[in-house]
Amino acid sequence: MDLEIRNLSHKYNDLEVLKSISLEIRSGQIVCIVGPSGCGKSTLLRMIGGLEQPTSGGVYQIGEPPADSLNPLTYIFQDFALLPWRTAWGNISLVLEEHNLGAEAVRERIENVLERTRLTEFANAYPRQLSGGMKQRVAIARALAVNPAVLLMDEPLSALDSQTRELLMDDFVALWQREAFTACYVTHNLAEAVALGHKIIVLSRRPGVIRNVVEIPVPIGERQHGSPELIEIQDQLWEMMREEALSADRELADV
Amino acid sequence: MSDLAQRRDDVVTPTQDDETRKVRYRGGGFSPKPRAFIAPIVFLVLVVIWEIGSHFGLIPPIVLPSPSEVLQALKDLVQSGLLWKHLSASLYRLIIGFTCGTILGLAAGALIGLWSYPRAALRPLVAAIFPIPKIALLPLFIIWFGIGEGSKVATILFGSFFPTVIATYGGIDAVDRSLINMGQSFNLSRWSIIRKIIFPSALPAILNGMRISASISIILLVAAEMIGAEYGIGAYVLLAGNLMSTDQLIAGVILLSILGLVVSYLISLAEQYFLRWRK
Ligand SMILES: Nc1ncnc2c1ncn2[C@@H]1O[C@H](COP(=O)(O)OP(=O)(O)OP(=O)(O)O)[C@@H](O)[C@H]1O
Ligand SMILES: [Mg+2]
């Protein structure tokens, strides 16, 4: 299943947030969205998953999601969004309870995703007993449990410290290599974008328009941390973001 | 090699003649610890002082009877079988009134918390009626429901209804939006979101409200029983007062204290059970 965003614009009352956004997310591809703060990245992601309606234009699914996908468009949130009164296991079972899978199938699924996120030993821990990185891994396990066709991630690592972030990045890469998933990944962190993205969308400052699309030809599995090629792309992205930020400053100075 | 040696010389070592002191610990205090044995001692000391005072006539018996007399009054109450009569009458009113008030309050609070029209319709109404001291409505209830059980139960029901409504919708209003969004993003049904996300989130606030409505219920119970009741702890206390038998009066007050403690203990148990995920 592919996703296509066609000529999407959005206004909050008089505040123009997004303007004529068109982009495609192909199956098996990770698309990263970067852009200055407040340019509408989170808003765009909420629209892609149907949590918010754009003023004009729309988001379209091309083709059927895989039959075994229980929730084709699945989010991983910045603040984890775990229920504090449920254990890791309970948080995952929450999203399976309505699908009439049968107790045995649910158990197998949960065990499988806990194993994939290396959380088997923490199945019975409550969120307060887990570190930030483990909480986000529970959230990832919960997302994987419903066999998503597209993962929608809004700065999933930005609430974590940099070491944990590195480890979870490796986890993402490993998960993707094990089974190529489709994802839309919003981030502030350009290193994350160049490590994970097949395609990086650079949004301008508000109102967000697509300023640039950078494709990275290196396969995700072969990307070396700090390789000259990636560094160059990262510098390129940084330059664009800097220009956006500077011209925003200049605009303010004019007022 | 010589580099390293050079560096070692640079390391600053405390010289002998400088005074060496341990850094003073100043992080303690401000965290009361449980001291279980203190409470019974304080209680016992007070009772003993009271008994001695009464014994030597420092406390006139008409002002305050001695603890032994109060104990005797309690014993009489048990032996005559009246204790159970008064207690069961009171418990019956309290349990029916409080339970119905709480259930209706939860339902109304959920309506206000979850849907726009009931919210628009009921919230101003609740806001207007909540501040009325429900005792003021007792005469009205007596006219409506008769001097018997009806008016007493209705008063307690009313008294526990409003705090529960307010606690419930307050709790629902405070539910973390991001959790609701999470539920929606996983396609949970509306009912599942209410039952598995909103209700557990609001539960701490609801239980807090129950604590308040329970104590209001006991106040209203006694007030209602002081008007035209044959049995009930309130009636017992009132009668004792009319007869100037302070020993019975104090015995009744002690029963009320025990009743209040038991109710608040039960709510604590409920909190410990339902909110065990908090700690
Ligand atoms: N519900 C809302 N009502 C009104 N304005 C909103 C709402 N949500 C977001 N906005 C505004 O829309 C703009 C874009 O917000 P959004 O959260 O999408 O930005 P973002 O790119 O995700 O920023 P950040 O990088 O800081 O997360 C902001 O100016 C914000 O103030
Ligand atoms: Mg954002």
Side-chain angles (χ1 to χ4, degrees):
Chain A
M1 185 185 80
D2 299 343
L3 280 182
E4 214 174 297
I5 296 157
R6 293 190 193 146
N7 207 10
L8 181 149
S9 303
H10 189 66
K11 279 183 182 170
Y12 283 117
N13 304 319
D14 283 338
L15 185 75
E16 202 172 20
V17 179
L18 291 164
K19 214 161 105 183
S20 0
I21 305 278
S22 294
L23 72 98
E24 291 164 6
I25 303 170
R26 297 261 163 266
S27 184
Q29 209 181 33
I30 300 181
V31 172
C32 291
I33 300 179
V34 298
S37 186
C39 73
K41 303 182 294 292
S42 301
T43 310
L44 180 60
L45 199 72
R46 294 167 57 77
M47 285 169 180
I48 296 175
L51 287 179
E52 207 166 321
Q53 278 184 312
T55 321
S56 70
V59 181
Y60 298 86
Q61 296 185 9
I62 317 271
E64 284 301 305
D68 64 345
S69 176
L70 299 179
N71 187 44
L73 302 175
T74 299
Y75 282 91
I76 293 173
F77 297 95
Q78 178 176 3
D79 60 355
F80 323 133
L82 298 176
L83 302 183
W85 51 89
R86 285 191 177 226
T87 59
W89 183 285
N91 267 289
I92 301 170
S93 78
L94 172 80
V95 300
L96 299 173
E97 280 160 13
E98 270 177 62
H99 291 284
N100 297 318
L101 297 171
E104 190 56 25
V106 166
R107 198 179 58 79
E108 268 171 27
R109 244 175 215 263
I110 300 177
E111 275 172 0
N112 173 274
V113 293
L114 284 176
E115 194 262 320
R116 274 159 77 186
T117 48
R118 296 176 288 114
L119 282 169
T120 308
E121 287 160 57
F122 298 97
N124 293 319
Y126 285 97
R128 70 176 155 81
Q129 298 167 314
L130 299 172
S131 69
M134 287 200 265
K135 280 185 219 170
Q136 193 55 299
R137 264 153 53 204
V138 175
I140 294 168
R142 175 178 65 186
L144 295 175
V146 292
N147 277 339
V150 181
L151 275 178
L152 304 171
M153 301 184 259
D154 191 358
E155 308 193 26
L157 307 184
S158 66
L160 307 170
D161 64 276
S162 57
Q163 290 87 337
T164 313
R165 219 180 293 167
E166 296 279 323
L167 291 175
L168 271 178
M169 285 286 293
D170 295 345
D171 285 345
F172 274 136
V173 171
L175 282 171
W176 190 85
Q177 283 184 299
R178 182 166 164 170
E179 201 183 324
F181 54 82
T182 316
C184 186
Y185 189 106
V186 168
T187 181
H188 266 128
N189 187 321
L190 299 179
E192 282 172 25
V194 296
L196 282 180
H198 292 100
K199 195 157 90 176
I200 298 170
I201 313 284
V202 184
L203 293 184
S204 69
R205 66 186 189 279
R206 199 183 67 223
V209 296
I210 295 184
R211 191 181 189 280
N212 236 314
V213 178
V214 180
E215 309 238 5
I216 306 183
V218 189
I220 287 180
E222 290 167 25
R223 295 189 188 169
Q224 293 294 323
H225 198 65
S227 76
E229 208 175 347
L230 295 184
I231 295 276
E232 201 194 311
I233 298 175
Q234 198 174 326
D235 286 346
Q236 218 179 320
L237 290 168
W238 172 233
E239 203 45 49
M240 293 178 215
M241 302 266 287
R242 226 169 75 96
E243 280 167 27
E244 283 301 326
L246 280 179
S247 49
D249 270 0
R250 230 171 282 134
E251 241 164 54
L252 277 181
D254 287 348
V255 173
Chain B
M1 232 8 216
S2 64
D3 246 25
L4 270 177
Q6 185 64 39
R7 243 180 238 147
R8 192 163 297 154
D9 281 349
D10 291 344
V11 173
V12 181
T13 46
T15 44
Q16 287 298 316
D17 40 308
D18 269 346
E19 215 182 317
T20 319
R21 264 175 290 138
K22 205 174 171 190
V23 172
R24 188 170 57 87
Y25 171 60
R26 47 185 176 170
F30 302 107
S31 62
K33 314 222 165 23
R35 295 279 183 264
F37 56 95
I38 292 290
I41 292 177
V42 171
F43 186 76
L44 218 71
V45 167
L46 278 179
V47 171
V48 167
I49 291 175
W50 177 10
E51 180 71 49
I52 292 171
S54 298
H55 190 80
F56 291 104
L58 293 173
I59 307 172
I62 194 69
V63 174
L64 202 61
S66 69
S68 49
E69 280 174 297
V70 173
L71 202 66
Q72 188 56 45
L74 277 172
K75 259 190 202 157
D76 289 346
L77 207 53
V78 176
Q79 274 158 8
S80 62
L82 281 176
L83 175 70
W84 180 240
K85 261 200 170 128
H86 288 302
L87 207 58
S88 61
S90 288
L91 285 178
Y92 167 84
R93 292 163 190 145
L94 190 65
I95 289 171
I96 298 205
F98 178 74
T99 311
C100 294
T102 301
I103 290 172
L104 292 174
L106 280 173
L111 281 178
I112 293 176
L114 294 170
W115 286 283
S116 312
Y117 282 98
R119 185 186 193 86
L122 296 178
R123 207 161 62 143
L125 214 59
V126 170
I129 302 176
F130 176 63
I132 303 174
K134 302 301 172 298
I135 299 179
L137 296 177
L138 188 54
L140 191 65
F141 287 157
I142 292 176
I143 297 172
W144 287 355
F145 305 109
I147 190 89
E149 296 305 306
S151 59
K152 297 177 180 58
V153 170
T155 312
I156 295 168
L157 189 155
F158 241 64
S160 53
F161 175 79
F162 288 95
T164 311
V165 174
I166 289 172
T168 306
Y169 81 67
I172 293 177
D173 285 353
V175 174
D176 188 353
R177 286 285 339 162
S178 67
L179 291 182
I180 297 178
N181 265 324
M182 181 277 292
Q184 291 173 324
S185 81
F186 280 98
N187 263 338
L188 300 194
S189 67
R190 200 180 159 82
W191 174 235
S192 275
I193 291 178
I194 293 173
R195 202 161 50 92
K196 296 173 186 169
I197 298 178
I198 295 179
F199 181 69
S201 294
L203 199 55
I206 292 173
L207 286 171
N208 237 335
M210 272 173 113
R211 213 174 254 292
I212 295 168
S213 66
S215 63
I216 291 179
S217 294
I218 294 178
I219 295 172
L220 292 175
L221 169 77
V222 176
E225 283 178 344
M226 285 184 165
I227 301 179
E230 194 180 348
Y231 292 112
I233 302 175
Y236 176 76
V237 169
L238 185 74
L239 186 70
N242 288 343
L243 298 175
M244 303 276 270
S245 56
T246 40
D247 52 343
Q248 291 184 354
L249 202 154
I250 301 288
V253 169
I254 288 174
L255 287 178
L256 287 174
S257 160
I258 292 171
L259 181 65
L261 286 175
V262 168
V263 168
S264 103
Y265 175 69
L266 289 178
I267 291 175
S268 300
L269 279 188
E271 277 177 347
Q272 267 171 37
Y273 177 76
F274 289 114
L275 307 182
R276 60 189 178 280
W277 51 270
R278 285 212 296 205
K279 208 176 218 154

